[in-house]
Amino acid sequence: TTTEKGPRPVTELYDLLRQPPFGIKDGLLPVYLVIAMLYWQAELAVYEEGSFVPKVRPAECERLMRVPERFSLQRYRLDESRVRMLYEYSVLFGEEIDPGDVSQLTAVRPIMAFANQLPCYTQFTKSLSKEAIAVRNALFLAREPQRLLLETLPQALGLEIVSKDSEQVKRYFSHLKRVLIELQRAYEQLLFNIQGQLLDALLLPSDLEVARQEIAPRAQILENWSADLRLKAFVSRLGDTNLPQREWLESVAACLTNKPPSQWNDGDVLSYRVALADIAGQFRRTEEVALAQESAEASAGTGRIIRLGVTDMLGHEQREIVRVPIDQEE
């Protein structure tokens, strides 16, 4: 029962079992311990050098026999309310499980697998709700699975203790699912913002497929006119028609930050905006030069490409390149 307050070293248990009234010999200690670990596996957490061991296999048993000082144990008694909680965690992502098979492993495994597949961007960005950040921090700082599931996560959502009230448990998991969906969609939201900024900077249609059809021939023309290596790489990726839309967008964004968006932090988001504004201006200026030299050849079969310029009374000039599709030329 002393382990319920925190993990205790296996060596302490061995010392206790060697003394009266137990008097167990050293050779039998690991045998009895493994039997106990299997019997109470639903309530017992095993740690090796402070790290949670999700499943005790023959390799762990062998190390336990050789170096017991590396291991510690913690027990959580499972009353009715805790069993209900663990069951809800076990089926959180739609997996089916027999209520009699519920354990801390079946409960913690799905949510930790979810956390581990989150992109680095989602793991560190501050562009989330306070609750999503609290849940994310709880998942990545967790050391004890039972405490994570039954204490830390509920507290992250503002619940000190989840009572035995089944309705409260339902509300808690409904709230938790909404927060997990926010975490899951954070990277998709980043890509959506990247797309919008890119299309706005290049004055392209909001439909990505249409925008790619428009920018590809323009970018391919500029590949032969780009002396700047950075611009050359940018137009090369813009003109790539083989990649699916998501991979194309990630490729273009990575070109401007030298890092794939999934690895970005909030500073990289700002760097992307600055780099995009600079490269978009360079793209347009280079396109003007290219059109002046090769407008007839470059626009053949794709419609007319023209430069529009407007100058006000103060001498301020606005210039843009406009592509006029053949079917809209008249």
Side-chain angles (χ1 to χ4, degrees), residues 188-308:
E188 297 300 325
Q189 183 62 47
L190 172 66
L191 292 181
F192 179 79
N193 294 339
I194 288 173
Q195 174 181 319
Q197 293 162 12
L198 176 66
L199 301 185
D200 286 346
L202 296 176
L203 301 178
L204 294 170
S206 58
D207 185 292
L208 185 58
E209 183 176 355
V210 175
R212 289 185 67 184
Q213 292 174 356
E214 178 176 323
I215 198 63
R218 292 169 56 188
Q220 290 164 3
I221 292 171
L222 291 195
E223 284 196 60
N224 296 326
W225 287 88
S226 305
D228 182 86
L229 294 179
R230 186 159 171 262
L231 178 61
K232 194 174 186 69
F234 180 66
V235 299
S236 176
R237 299 194 186 195
L238 283 178
D240 190 336
T241 58
N242 296 318
L243 288 176
Q245 291 189 6
R246 180 190 178 101
E247 285 80 355
W248 177 83
L249 190 61
E250 290 174 326
S251 174
V252 173
C255 175
L256 297 182
T257 58
N258 298 317
K259 185 191 297 186
S262 62
Q263 303 292 322
W264 282 8
N265 54 41
D266 290 341
D268 294 317
V269 176
L270 178 60
S271 297
Y272 167 76
R273 295 175 186 169
V274 174
L276 176 61
D278 179 63
I279 203 77
Q282 192 176 358
F283 179 95
R284 289 193 294 269
R285 291 190 294 272
T286 305
E287 192 173 39
E288 289 183 7
V289 175
L291 288 174
Q293 298 294 325
E294 298 184 0
S295 59
E297 179 182 350
S299 62
T302 65
R304 299 179 63 190
I305 300 179
I306 60 177
R307 184 185 75 174
L308 298 180

Side-chain angles (χ1 to χ4, degrees), residues 85 89 129-136 138 148-163 168 171-173 175-176 178-179:
M85 289 283 289
Y89 278 114
S129 67
K130 291 182 179 179
E131 291 179 332
I133 292 175
V135 167
R136 180 191 64 189
L148 167 70
L149 301 177
L150 302 177
E151 298 177 21
T152 312
L153 283 175
Q155 289 172 5
L157 295 180
L159 297 175
E160 288 299 325
I161 299 176
V162 176
S163 72
Q168 186 179 6
R171 289 194 297 271
Y172 163 67
F173 278 98
H175 195 175
L176 178 61
R178 289 196 298 270
V179 171

Side-chain angles (χ1 to χ4, degrees), residues 79-115:
D79 56 23
E80 182 182 349
S81 63
R82 285 181 169 181
V83 170
R84 184 188 302 117
M85 289 283 289
L86 294 184
Y87 175 78
E88 292 296 336
Y89 278 114
S90 300
V91 299
L92 187 60
F93 297 98
E95 295 185 15
E96 295 184 3
I97 185 171
D98 189 303
D101 295 332
V102 169
S103 67
Q104 61 180 352
L105 178 59
T106 65
V108 78
R109 183 168 50 195
I111 197 166
M112 292 309 299
F114 167 85

